[in-house]
Amino acid sequence: MSQPTMNGNKAPHVPMKNLVGFLLSLILTFAALGLGLAHVMSFGMVMFIILILAVLQIVVQLYFFMHFTESDGPRYHIIGLAIAVFFVICIIGGSIWAMTFNSQAL
Amino acid sequence: MSTAIHKSSHGSVHESPKYKGKVLPLEYTSHEGPLNILGFWIFLATDLILFGCLFATYFVLRTHVDGGVTDKELFDNITSFTAETVILLTSSFTSSLAIFAMRNNNKKRLIGWLIVTVILGLSFVGLELREFIEYYHEGYTMSRSAFLSGFFTLVGTHGCHVSLGIIWMISIITQIARYGIDAINARKTFIISLYWHFLDIVWVFIFSVVYLTGVVS
């Protein structure tokens, strides 16, 4: 009989999942930093890749650290977050899009 | 062998509830636990919209420097903001280790990792304050240009969140020290860890969108 733990399932002694998550988050951060310092691509291209790296970073945090898939029933929290992400994309994308008509400097 | 018996310090001994054949963690065992956690996810969703608005404002005002300092000139100290990023990423990791310890019912380690997280959080806030004070002395205040207003509002709001999180986490450490790991404390600890990871996610975007954009442009 294995020892009962807080999550009732057999828990590993080494927090492998957490270590992998930490390593991935560091790699993603330094990849973004290295790309920013390298000055090898155009501004738009660099920003695009850096944003993709940031989105991957979110996935790492949600999956490896925040136990995103856990729930005691239907996963309503995922619906809530999805709506928020949709709003945020509309707000940020919409603001930038609308303001480019009004500003020479942007 | 999939039923574990928990004795909660609030009285009852009960069999762990299950969902889809898996035993649920302690924070899901009380009636309110899962509801509180769902509620907190929804709070995070609304907080995300708050930060989204601040990011949109920053993006739009980024180039409006009114002849003053630009983002490229302001963020020339790469070590400073990279250190802040690594510290916050590490604190996110240590708070996940705290949850790992909690689910192994290891009170000592749980408190230990939470204390490490608080210390990392304090050093993050300290570094950020030092950065702000440095800017202030150079005359880069919030009222200097639209760009600086956007910058201080966005990064300052995040800093306030982290400071609040530190106070919150210290109060939870005292409660765990006093009452141990029960269903109520497990739920509280799980929620503060969600909050802490969320702040890390927001910071990753500040790092990318504010600081790195300044370096690249």
Side-chain angles (χ1 to χ4, degrees), chain B residues 20-42:
Chain B
K20 287 185 178 166
K22 279 183 102 176
V23 179
L24 289 166
L26 187 57
E27 55 269 29
Y28 288 94
T29 52
S30 69
H31 174 65
E32 318 84 61
L35 293 176
N36 289 149
I37 291 167
L38 173 63
F40 198 76
W41 276 109
I42 292 169

Side-chain angles (χ1 to χ4, degrees), chain A residues 3 12 14 16-17 48 59 64-65 75 77 80 83 87 97:
Chain A
Q3 215 183 341
V14 184
M16 257 337 259
K17 199 174 170 185
F48 181 69
V59 175
F64 289 95
F65 292 160
R75 292 164 184 164
H77 60 284
I83 294 171
F87 282 170
W97 180 60

Side-chain angles (χ1 to χ4, degrees), chain B residues 41-100:
Chain B
W41 276 109
I42 292 169
F43 163 75
L44 289 185
T46 60
D47 220 20
L48 195 67
I49 294 172
L50 165 75
F51 278 108
C53 294
L54 295 179
F55 272 111
T57 314
Y58 179 80
F59 253 138
V60 169
L61 299 178
R62 193 173 73 80
T63 49
H64 296 230
V65 294
D66 188 28
V69 68
T70 64
D71 53 352
K72 195 177 180 63
E73 290 155 6
L74 195 62
F75 311 134
D76 59 348
N77 189 352
I78 293 160
T79 8
S80 168
F81 70 76
T82 311
E84 286 170 42
T85 308
V86 172
I87 287 172
L88 211 60
L89 281 177
T90 312
S91 78
S92 186
F93 171 58
T94 55
S95 78
S96 84
L97 287 180
I99 298 302
F100 183 80

Side-chain angles (χ1 to χ4, degrees), chain B residues 75-134:
Chain B
F75 311 134
D76 59 348
N77 189 352
I78 293 160
T79 8
S80 168
F81 70 76
T82 311
E84 286 170 42
T85 308
V86 172
I87 287 172
L88 211 60
L89 281 177
T90 312
S91 78
S92 186
F93 171 58
T94 55
S95 78
S96 84
L97 287 180
I99 298 302
F100 183 80
M102 181 174 88
R103 292 187 170 180
N104 281 314
N105 207 6
N106 192 333
K107 183 178 157 184
K108 244 187 204 164
R109 279 197 191 163
L110 167 59
I111 291 179
W113 284 122
L114 286 180
I115 289 173
V116 173
T117 310
V118 165
I119 292 169
L120 288 169
L122 282 172
S123 38
F124 171 83
V125 173
L127 271 179
E128 191 168 284
L129 275 180
R130 206 189 64 168
E131 187 190 324
F132 280 9
I133 290 168
E134 204 177 290

Side-chain angles (χ1 to χ4, degrees), chain A residues 1 6-7 11-12 15 18 22 29 37 47 50 57-58 61 65-67 70 72-73 77 84 87 92 106, chain B residues 1 19 23 28 34 41 45 49 52 60 78 89 92-93 96-97 100 102-105 197 200 204-205 208 213:
Chain A
M1 232 181 90
M6 275 307 147
N7 60 6
N18 309 44
F22 183 48
T29 304
L37 295 179
M47 279 315 294
I50 284 177
Q57 184 84 258
I58 295 191
Q61 293 283 329
F65 292 160
M66 291 172 89
H67 308 272
E70 244 172 49
D72 67 329
H77 60 284
F87 282 170
I92 296 179
L106 201 76
Chain B
M1 171 51 246
Y19 181 69
V23 179
Y28 288 94
W41 276 109
I49 294 172
V60 169
I78 293 160
L89 281 177
S92 186
F93 171 58
S96 84
L97 287 180
F100 183 80
M102 181 174 88
R103 292 187 170 180
N104 281 314
N105 207 6
H197 297 310
D200 190 51
V204 165
F205 274 89
S208 313
T213 309

Side-chain angles (χ1 to χ4, degrees), chain B residues 128-202:
Chain B
E128 191 168 284
L129 275 180
R130 206 189 64 168
E131 187 190 324
F132 280 9
I133 290 168
E134 204 177 290
Y135 292 159
Y136 177 78
H137 283 307
E138 289 172 43
Y140 309 144
T141 58
M142 201 172 178
S143 48
R144 175 63 188 83
S145 67
F147 154 61
L148 285 169
S149 303
F151 168 76
F152 281 114
T153 310
L154 171 58
V155 182
T157 305
H158 177 266
C160 286
H161 274 74
V162 176
S163 309
L164 183 80
I166 291 169
I167 298 168
W168 184 3
M169 203 174 272
I170 291 171
S171 71
I172 283 173
I173 292 170
T174 36
Q175 291 184 50
I176 298 166
R178 213 180 264 181
Y179 304 111
I181 304 173
D182 56 23
I184 290 178
N185 274 341
R187 179 250 298 164
K188 288 179 178 172
T189 318
F190 187 73
I191 285 176
I192 179 79
S193 87
L194 285 184
Y195 181 71
W196 201 261
H197 297 310
F198 170 75
L199 293 183
D200 190 51
I201 289 177
V202 172

